[in-house]
Amino acid sequence: MEQDGTRHVEADHIRVLDPLELDRVVLTLPALNAEGDLGGLVAALRPAVPSTRQIADFSLPECLAAMRDLGIFAGSIKRHGAEPVENVPGLETAFLSLGARTGMIPRDTVHHYVTWNPPGRRERLYTGDQMEILLKASVRRSLPKLTAAIDLCEILHVLDPTDIEFTFKANELVTLLRSMEDAIESVLATVTPEFFARTMRPYFEDFRVAGRSYLGPAAAHVPLALIDLCLWASDHSDPAYAEFWEDSAQHALPQWYPLYEAWPRKPSVVTRVAEALRVTPDAPNLEASAEAVSRALRSLVNFRGKHYTIAKRAYTEELRLYPVGSGGGSIALLDRIMTLTRDNSRLLRDSRHGAGGAERHVGAK
């Protein structure tokens, strides 16, 4: 299993690949989906399924591109009411082999559907609708920023809040998180709740591989929970959110698996900064570090408020087709995460103002 392999693979390298020779066939996918042509979908996918021997000869980028293309057809088959591996011979074996080669789950993820999906004339699309393209473009802009944010979080974990480098890195993190606000605002402006709830959401439904169910390539599986774990959630979360990110972790890139394991056992940045403010309030650079972390938390609160607005509209009783979101979370969970983020922002603010906020318990792990 190539656990760390995707870290060094350039997205552009994967996007140009067509190892299953589906470039032309995949262009028919929106029409097949619009017609609900389950038989046509199965017939289009069946000859493209690679053998175990073929997969063994693929490079890692070719494996990722192959999973991308098998996955979008499989998700379409599930959307029209059938289990893909039960209807396409060899598909289950191919999924398992590709998952083992890449160190990822045995189906496509948001990284396959967005990051490794070529934009333009070769773009793999479920519907071909302009709103699907715009929704993907928003996530495509966000994922590299989130990846860079996680790299910064790794650095923040080992720096002291009084270190000037901590201050610099925390301010860099603020800039990256604000890009998430821009991305969600573009979704609010260009993608209607009706389109997401009625048209896109069904394509992200889970299907079974080797007896286990795996959710589809939803934007809900972007690694925002890792940033939460670094900043506040490792010791100020609650069981509902912990269950959600523990499930989401399996949809992540392999290089992030160890972080999902390690960070919940470390004190959060909020805890470390609040403790430093309590013990050494006049330490050099500490106030500047605390201000940067406070701004990072405010950015997360702003993003979550906008995300909550979109989700609440899309999952009204009149619109929704499913009781929970594409990532498996409910509206109530989104509200709870937003509240926890806001509480931790307030805790740090109170610590900075000497109001005893560092001692306050805002959530149970």
Side-chain angles (χ1 to χ4, degrees):
M1 187 177 291
E2 301 177 32
Q3 283 285 337
D4 197 41
T6 62
R7 181 184 291 272
H8 305 294
V9 179
E10 292 292 333
D12 286 344
H13 187 185
I14 302 165
R15 290 171 187 156
V16 301
L17 297 174
D18 181 27
L20 306 182
E21 299 183 351
L22 281 170
D23 267 1
R24 291 185 179 180
V25 178
V26 80
L27 297 179
T28 68
L29 189 59
L32 291 170
N33 279 325
E35 296 164 6
D37 187 353
L38 181 58
L41 289 165
V42 171
L45 180 57
R46 185 176 289 149
V49 176
S51 67
T52 302
R53 178 172 294 181
Q54 285 175 290
I55 292 170
D57 290 336
F58 284 165
S59 65
L60 177 60
E62 286 174 325
C63 287
L64 296 168
M67 183 67 89
R68 173 197 68 203
D69 293 348
L70 294 177
I72 198 165
F73 273 96
S76 298
I77 290 169
K78 180 58 191 279
R79 186 262 177 271
H80 297 294
E83 284 292 332
V85 302
E86 294 176 4
N87 287 271
V88 181
L91 183 59
E92 184 169 63
T93 300
F95 275 146
L96 292 170
S97 297
L98 289 168
R101 284 290 313 279
T102 61
M104 299 181 73
I105 62 167
R107 76 158 294 179
D108 56 327
T109 68
V110 66
H111 305 284
H112 298 86
Y113 174 57
V114 175
T115 306
W116 300 323
N117 194 337
R121 62 181 182 81
R122 295 180 56 243
E123 190 163 12
R124 278 74 168 130
L125 297 165
Y126 293 108
T127 71
D129 192 286
Q130 187 67 17
M131 281 191 274
E132 180 184 2
I133 296 170
L134 291 169
L135 183 63
K136 285 180 60 183
S138 172
V139 181
R140 184 179 284 122
R141 290 194 301 270
S142 300
L143 271 172
K145 305 284 180 63
L146 279 173
T147 299
I150 291 168
D151 291 342
L152 287 174
C153 286
E154 289 191 80
I155 296 170
L156 290 175
H157 258 307
V158 299
L159 291 175
D160 190 282
T162 62
D163 189 327
I164 189 64
E165 190 68 12
F166 184 105
T167 310
F168 290 152
K169 296 303 180 184
N171 277 300
E172 289 179 35
L173 181 62
V174 173
T175 301
L176 293 171
L177 293 180
R178 283 179 175 169
S179 71
M180 293 285 293
E181 295 182 58
D182 295 337
I184 202 78
E185 284 177 0
S186 75
V187 172
L188 275 165
T190 59
V191 180
T192 66
E194 292 83 359
F195 176 77
F196 182 81
R198 294 281 179 169
T199 302
M200 289 306 302
R201 173 64 179 85
Y203 290 103
F204 302 137
E205 191 67 350
D206 64 296
F207 60 68
R208 293 191 301 276
V209 179
R212 288 187 60 184
S213 290
Y214 296 93
L215 291 169
H221 290 142
V222 299
L224 193 56
L226 266 181
I227 296 168
D228 286 338
L229 282 169
C230 172
L231 291 181
W232 61 268
S234 68
D235 47 16
H236 290 132
S237 186
D238 69 6
Y241 188 28
E243 182 180 358
F244 176 79
W245 61 252
E246 285 168 2
D247 182 68
S248 294
Q250 67 179 321
H251 300 269
L253 296 177
Q255 60 262 30
W256 295 334
Y257 296 162
L259 304 182
Y260 276 106
E261 288 287 330
W263 287 2
R265 298 193 292 270
K266 295 182 178 182
S268 67
V269 165
V270 164
T271 293
R272 291 169 57 221
V273 173
E275 178 66 10
L277 286 165
R278 185 183 68 83
V279 176
T280 57
D282 297 322
N285 308 309
L286 181 56
E287 176 56 30
S289 292
E291 170 60 22
V293 174
S294 291
R295 289 191 292 119
L297 291 169
R298 286 198 296 272
S299 187
L300 284 175
V301 169
N302 291 339
F303 168 80
R304 290 216 152 93
K306 295 179 175 93
H307 183 208
Y308 180 78
T309 297
I310 292 174
K312 193 172 181 180
R313 291 174 183 171
Y315 286 91
T316 60
E317 287 192 15
E318 307 83 61
L319 280 184
R320 73 185 187 193
L321 300 176
Y322 304 90
V324 296
S326 50
S330 65
I331 297 297
L333 178 62
L334 286 180
D335 186 41
R336 178 59 179 154
I337 297 169
M338 185 167 59
T339 298
L340 286 168
T341 311
R342 188 182 293 117
D343 285 348
N344 279 274
S345 179
R346 188 179 301 116
L347 183 154
L348 189 55
R349 183 195 66 198
D350 290 349
S351 296
R352 294 173 65 199
H353 294 158
E359 302 298 326
R360 188 174 62 190
H361 184 64
V362 297
K365 187 173 179 183

